[in-house]
Amino acid sequence: MRRREFLAKTLAATAAGLAPRTSKAIDNRVEILIEEPIGLIEPNLHGHFIEHIGGVIYDGIWVGENSKIPNVGGIRKELLDNLARLGIPVLRWPGGCFADSYNWNDGIGPRAKRPCRTNSWINDPFLEKAPDGPAKYDPNEFGTDEFLRLCKITGAQPYIAANLRSLTPLDFDKWIEYCNAPQDSTSLAKLRAANASPQPYGVRYWGVGNEAWGCGGNFTPGEYASEFRRFTAWTPDYGVKLRFIGSGPSGDDFAWTRGFFAGLAAKGKWMFDSVYGWALHYYCGSAGQGQAIDFTVNDWYELLAKADRMETLIQRQWSAMGEEDTEHKVKLVVDEWGAWHRAGTEVSRTFLFGQTPTMRDALISALTLDTFHRHADKVAMANAAQLINNLHCLFLAHEDRFVVTPNFHVFEAYKAHQGGQSVRLMAAAPTISFPAGNTTATLWGLAGSASLHGKKLVLTLVNPHVKEAQPTEIVARGASIRSCKVRTLSAPDIHAFNSFDHPRAVEPKDEMASSGQSLVWNVPPASVTRLEMALA
Ligand code: AHR
């Protein structure tokens, strides 16, 4: 079928979607244009984030060497086992807003001698009546060497966010020196050896502050551009190509992006060579009453549509960046993203921003990762916020209990895309209409991403419809499909979630599909599907 015919079909199907929701599509089609490459799917698009907040570090990751909870040098073993299964490409730490109050000197050396400090999240009303503990007063048992050990064990690249609001460029230089100076070269290299590692860590990714427009200093974009220049000028690199990531906008704050890029360009366009990434933060929030596990069908659609805004945010921020950085030397780094529900489903009283992800969050994970893949030419890294016991998490843990969430299963399935060539796809399925206030809003009926790995084609699809399966013809233009393995994540109830008592309520199912020139697959309602196709 030529593209014009495909588009005609697409338009017809989309128009059909404006009919009542019960209308059944008969000609859903996904066409993968394997000869239209977009860019390489950097494994770092599947990155993660951990902050000293609530139960992320203490209890979640760090249980301590003397704990009865199985651990590897203090790090929760069950988490490590699951991270080994998942493989995490990059891990951001120590914040978040916490980063701009953190003094790395507090977190090195013998743990018993490290100072206990007030956590900058202490003023959050959620913690007001909570018992004292590490969520309020950080014991600093988990510091630079522990974080880098976690990265080494899991194979993740470390991404450290520096404190720009309350420390100096000299402190930043020294942190880099502590991490990267050659063995025995300086006093800090010797201190590192005495503490943990004679070998340098070779940390490449450095965030220059966090949310500098807010908790990171309330700067104007012009002021932040000056600070960025100051923090990154003549920074010692010890032979490691340092990749500085600027504190970018929240959502659609284009003024912040334009102001920063103009501020750098005022010094000279060569400044763009010193910026690896521009950090976009976008939380789609919640919908309706804002509950994580208790929502209506309309809340389901509303939140998926909000998550889908990532598509236009990437496009529009990218074009704002390109007004000054015309060669697009700077890439986007979406280093905080995910759903943000109201409190009430955290697994412990002190777990600030702790929430229990459901199938709805799984679909948000999937459609967001698909969006990153479709913009693999623009987005160099992304970090879901946050790995454990927090917003949009992959794991829940408290004391000796641990469970993987539906988000974990999506990241595990999507791993098959890593390192592939993202290629264009066209999907046609009836659009979904749903009430939004006094009007009607819409959401696509099927979307996804595709990547080519030699003769293997990976396709992931999201069907957001709560009731209707989408029988779909799948075509790889210019190739035929020899065989196809399918993994599906779906559940009988859109509210399904995993808990300590029901850890396998949501889990994926694997099967084979019969195939030929094309294949037809019935994409289940409210599901995430991965198809791994061998091409002839
Ligand atoms: O992820 C929680 C918080 O959200 C982070 O600390 C901050 O950067 C963002 O506002």
Side-chain angles (χ1 to χ4, degrees):
M1 193 192 322
R2 290 206 307 271
R3 183 163 322 163
R4 204 173 321 138
E5 288 167 55
F6 179 88
L7 289 175
K9 264 194 153 187
T10 306
L11 289 174
T14 305
L18 297 174
R21 213 182 275 157
T22 48
S23 73
K24 189 80 184 163
I26 48 164
D27 60 351
N28 303 317
R29 188 174 159 96
V30 170
E31 188 161 339
I32 304 150
L33 308 174
I34 57 177
E35 283 174 4
E36 292 198 28
I38 297 170
L40 201 70
I41 298 187
E42 291 288 348
N44 282 356
L45 295 182
H46 298 184
H48 297 280
F49 167 40
I50 54 173
E51 175 170 7
H52 290 242
I53 184 173
V56 177
I57 302 293
Y58 300 106
D59 203 355
I61 296 169
W62 184 258
V63 295
E65 281 163 316
N66 301 324
S67 171
K68 64 178 186 340
I69 300 162
N71 66 84
V72 178
I75 301 172
R76 184 184 285 274
K77 183 170 180 308
E78 214 167 351
L79 173 68
L80 291 177
D81 293 344
N82 280 279
L83 291 179
R85 186 173 146 201
L86 180 67
I88 47 171
V90 63
L91 189 58
R92 177 176 184 244
W93 170 84
C97 293
F98 177 84
D100 279 292
S101 63
Y102 181 62
N103 188 338
W104 66 270
N105 285 290
D106 292 341
I108 57 170
R111 278 193 283 277
K113 292 197 175 147
R114 295 183 196 174
C116 182
R117 303 279 187 216
T118 305
N119 185 298
S120 51
W121 285 103
I122 195 168
N123 288 335
D124 191 283
F126 176 88
L127 288 177
E128 210 175 302
K129 294 208 174 86
D132 288 352
K136 289 183 173 180
Y137 303 107
D138 193 314
N140 276 303
E141 285 175 30
F142 188 89
T144 301
D145 295 307
E146 288 76 17
F147 169 64
L148 291 166
R149 183 151 54 83
L150 170 62
C151 290
K152 190 168 178 198
I153 298 172
T154 57
Q157 282 289 327
Y159 165 18
I160 296 183
N163 179 342
L164 177 116
R165 177 178 64 81
S166 54
L167 289 183
T168 66
L170 186 60
D171 294 294
F172 184 35
D173 287 3
K174 287 187 173 166
W175 203 359
I176 297 172
E177 181 177 331
Y178 182 80
C179 292
N180 291 356
Q183 184 168 356
D184 288 333
S185 61
T186 71
S187 301
L188 283 174
K190 288 179 186 154
L191 182 60
R192 180 190 67 223
N195 288 341
S197 172
Q199 298 300 327
Y201 292 117
V203 178
R204 268 188 264 170
Y205 299 108
W206 293 89
V208 184
N210 169 76
E211 299 194 347
W213 38 264
C215 62
N218 282 330
F219 292 105
T220 65
E223 288 165 351
Y224 177 63
S226 316
E227 289 299 311
F228 183 93
R229 293 199 305 257
R230 205 160 71 99
F231 269 68
T232 56
W234 283 70
T235 320
D237 68 13
Y238 309 102
V240 175
K241 182 155 178 41
L242 301 180
R243 295 179 156 177
F244 295 123
I245 295 164
S247 167
S250 171
D252 60 2
D253 186 352
F254 302 107
W256 178 261
T257 295
R258 290 196 173 98
F260 174 80
F261 277 74
L264 285 196
K267 178 70 185 167
K269 294 224 173 187
W270 55 270
M271 278 298 312
F272 296 129
D273 291 320
S274 65
V275 196
Y276 172 74
W278 183 234
L280 166 66
H281 288 184
Y282 176 57
Y283 290 99
C284 60
S286 196
Q289 301 296 310
Q291 287 149 333
I293 59 175
D294 178 12
F295 48 85
T296 65
V297 166
N298 283 334
D299 298 340
W300 163 279
Y301 288 123
E302 183 189 327
L303 189 55
L304 296 184
K306 279 162 87 178
D308 192 47
R309 285 189 60 219
M310 185 67 86
E311 171 76 30
T312 47
L313 287 175
I314 290 173
Q315 287 172 355
R316 295 183 64 201
Q317 288 292 356
W318 181 252
S319 89
M321 290 156 70
E323 290 167 14
E324 292 287 356
D325 178 20
T326 47
E327 292 175 51
H328 275 304
K329 289 182 171 162
V330 184
K331 302 292 181 207
L332 274 165
V333 167
V334 188
D335 63 15
E336 290 188 28
W337 67 268
W340 192 321
H341 303 293
R342 77 174 206 209
T345 60
E346 59 281 348
V347 294
S348 167
R349 176 62 190 88
T350 58
F351 288 5
L352 177 61
F353 302 154
Q355 58 191 39
T356 297
T358 66
M359 274 306 295
R360 180 173 59 161
D361 300 289
L363 267 76
I364 290 170
S365 294
L367 74 86
T368 305
L369 294 178
D370 283 329
T371 306
F372 295 150
H373 300 165
R374 293 195 304 269
H375 293 287
D377 52 335
K378 308 176 189 73
V379 187
M381 187 200 290
N383 309 73
Q386 302 190 11
L387 187 70
I388 182 166
N389 288 341
N390 203 262
L391 312 165
H392 215 83
C393 54
L394 277 69
F395 308 104
L396 298 171
H398 179 43
E399 296 173 346
D400 59 352
R401 310 194 86 189
F402 180 90
V403 68
V404 307
T405 74
N407 289 329
F408 170 86
H409 293 304
V410 174
F411 274 85
E412 194 189 29
Y414 274 54
K415 195 177 156 185
H417 278 296
Q418 291 180 13
Q421 176 62 245
S422 175
V423 291
R424 218 156 75 76
L425 71 75
M426 297 191 288
T431 300
I432 297 165
S433 311
F434 59 95
N438 296 331
T439 168
T440 300
T442 58
L443 178 65
W444 38 259
L446 204 56
S449 66
S451 61
L452 199 56
H453 312 243
K455 285 281 182 195
K456 186 174 99 172
L457 182 60
V458 178
L459 169 67
T460 44
L461 291 173
V462 173
N463 174 6
H465 203 293
V466 295
K467 286 208 275 300
E468 290 182 6
Q470 302 292 0
T472 304
E473 184 186 17
I474 295 164
V475 181
R477 169 114 39 115
S480 54
I481 300 163
R482 258 193 318 120
S483 61
C484 179
K485 285 192 293 184
V486 184
R487 171 168 288 195
T488 310
L489 188 69
S490 65
D493 181 354
I494 58 172
H495 305 91
F497 60 88
N498 292 339
S499 64
F500 296 144
D501 293 332
H502 301 282
R504 299 178 64 181
V506 178
E507 58 179 11
K509 184 178 88 186
D510 289 326
E511 59 201 304
M512 292 300 289
S514 58
S515 46
Q517 188 65 35
S518 65
L519 73 91
V520 173
W521 190 253
N522 199 22
V523 187
S527 71
V528 178
T529 303
R530 180 191 72 194
L531 299 101
E532 287 182 289
M533 295 167 263
L535 300 181

